[in-house]
Amino acid sequence: MNSSTTEKIKIQKADKSRIDQVDFENLVFGNVFSDHMFECDYKDGSWQTPTIRPYGSITLSPAAKVFHYGQAVFEGMKAFKDEDGKVWLFRPDQNAKRINKSSVRLAIPEFPEEIFFEALTTLVKMDRDWVKSGEGNSLYIRPFVFATQAGVGASPSTEYKFMILMSPVRAYYAGDIQVEIAEHYSRSANGGVGAAKAAGNYAAQFFPTNLAREKGFQQIIWTDASNHEYLEEAGTMNVFFRVNDTLLTAPISDRILDGVTRKSVIALAKRDNIAVEERRVLVSEIVEASKNGSLKEIFGAGTAAVISPINAFSFQNTTHNLEKQDDSYAVKFKKELTDIQRNRCEDPFNWRFEVV
C-alpha cells in the first residue's frame, strides 16, 4: 500500500485490485464493491482530513447514535463508460445538493461540496476499470453520512462519518413490474422526512412491501397518509401516469423526494412537447382512467432502475392490467436518458460530467 494526497484528500492505494475475482456477468445489485472507498469524520465542530483508502470494514461503538436514533442519510448515483472508454457522471451537482438538504433535515452538518466533488472524481478515476461499458452496465455510487458519537442520550450526535462506496451493477429490475396501491401504510407524512433520503424512510417500507410481495406484487404505490386518496411514489421511485397523451406526477413536497431522474424525465417531456402536469393525482382518477381506457402507462423513475414500466396495479383487491403501447413513453424516456448518460447523443441540458 502506498500513500499520496490530492489538494485536499489523503490517498492510500490498495496493494492489489480485487477486480479479477468479480463475475461481471452475474452481479447481484449492490453486493460487490470496488477497490477503494472515501471517508471523512466530523468532530470538534469541523470535518477532518478526507481520506480514500482500500475498501474494508469500519469500527463503531455499539453506542453510536446512528444505531439508536437513526441519524443517517444517503444518495444514489451512477458512473457510465462509453464505447471510447470515457467515464461520465449524470447530474452529480444534484446529488451533492440533495445530500446536504437531507442532512439539514436530520440535524447533520452539511458536507463541503468542493470536497464531495474532489472525492467523487478521484475515487471514480482510481477505480475506473470497475466501470464497464455496454448496455445495462454502470458503477453505482453510494455517498452517505451517519452519526458516530457514542452515547444513548436522545440528542443529535456531535460526531459523524461521511463515506462514498462504489458497486458495479447491471439492470436493477428485469422486465415490467406489478404493484399494489397502498390503502393502509404510508411512506411519509406532512412535516416528516419524506423529501430527505433518510435511511429510516426505506426501513419503514420493507414490511408493507413484503406483504405486497406475498400477494405477488413487486412494489407498492404509496398514497398520502391522511386519507390514502392521492398517489405519491412507487416503491423507492417517483412515479408517472400517462393518461391519454398527458404525463401526470405528484408535485414535490415535504413528502415527495425531489428525484434526479424525475426532474430529468419532466425536462425531456417538455422538450419533446409532451404535456406534463405536476399535481396531486387521485387514486380514483387513475382507477377510472384504467376502466375507460385512457390510462396508457405507469412507470417508476429512479437512479437504480432509471425507468421501470408497470404493467399492472391492484387496488381494493382488483387488478388492472395495462396494455403495451407502441409509442411507449417509458421506452422513449429510458432511451433518451441512457443515450445522454452513456454519451451516445448530444447533451442539450449539460447534464453529463466527464471524469478525466
Side-chain angles (χ1 to χ4, degrees), residues 328-340:
S328 167
Y329 285 2
V331 171
K332 172 185 173 64
F333 292 135
K334 184 168 186 177
K335 183 180 187 306
E336 290 179 351
L337 275 173
T338 55
D339 281 352
I340 292 174

Side-chain angles (χ1 to χ4, degrees), residues 87-274:
V87 176
W88 304 88
L89 299 172
F90 182 71
R91 307 189 74 176
D93 57 315
Q94 300 298 309
N95 300 100
K97 288 178 171 55
R98 193 171 62 182
I99 196 167
N100 279 335
K101 182 179 178 182
S102 297
S103 294
V104 168
R105 182 61 183 83
L106 270 73
I108 297 171
E110 296 178 69
F111 193 73
E113 283 192 26
E114 67 275 12
I115 301 178
F116 175 90
F117 277 104
E118 185 171 347
L120 179 63
T121 54
T122 303
L123 195 59
V124 172
K125 281 190 284 188
M126 288 175 65
D127 286 354
R128 66 181 296 123
D129 289 345
W130 291 78
V131 192
K132 298 300 182 182
S133 60
E135 196 63 40
N137 293 322
S138 61
L139 187 67
Y140 183 79
I141 303 169
R142 171 53 61 88
F144 61 110
V145 58
F146 56 94
T148 56
Q149 180 193 1
V152 294
S155 61
S157 178
T158 59
E159 298 179 0
Y160 299 87
K161 185 181 287 288
F162 189 104
M163 300 190 71
I164 304 176
L165 309 179
M166 304 196 303
S167 174
V169 296
R170 292 180 65 82
Y172 192 71
Y173 290 116
D176 297 352
I177 62 173
Q178 298 186 349
V179 299
E180 181 179 44
I181 292 178
E183 298 178 58
H184 175 69
Y185 295 101
S186 295
R187 175 186 173 274
S188 60
N190 290 335
V193 295
K197 282 188 75 71
N201 288 349
Y202 297 79
Q205 293 184 32
F206 295 154
F207 175 67
T209 301
N210 284 345
L211 295 179
R213 285 176 177 163
E214 289 173 3
K215 301 176 187 177
F217 303 102
Q218 286 80 41
Q219 279 293 354
I220 292 173
I221 294 184
W222 303 102
T223 50
D224 67 286
S226 300
N227 299 303
H228 300 284
E229 292 180 299
Y230 294 95
L231 297 153
E232 300 203 326
E233 292 194 9
T236 58
M237 302 175 287
N238 296 110
V239 63
F240 289 85
F241 305 89
R242 176 186 173 185
V243 177
N244 291 318
D245 291 331
T246 298
L247 209 55
L248 310 177
T249 192
I252 295 302
S253 68
D254 55 10
R255 301 185 314 280
I256 307 292
L257 186 71
D258 187 10
V260 177
T261 308
R262 174 194 181 275
K263 65 178 68 177
S264 302
V265 166
I266 292 171
L268 288 169
K270 290 179 178 178
R271 181 198 66 175
D272 298 340
N273 295 315
I274 293 172

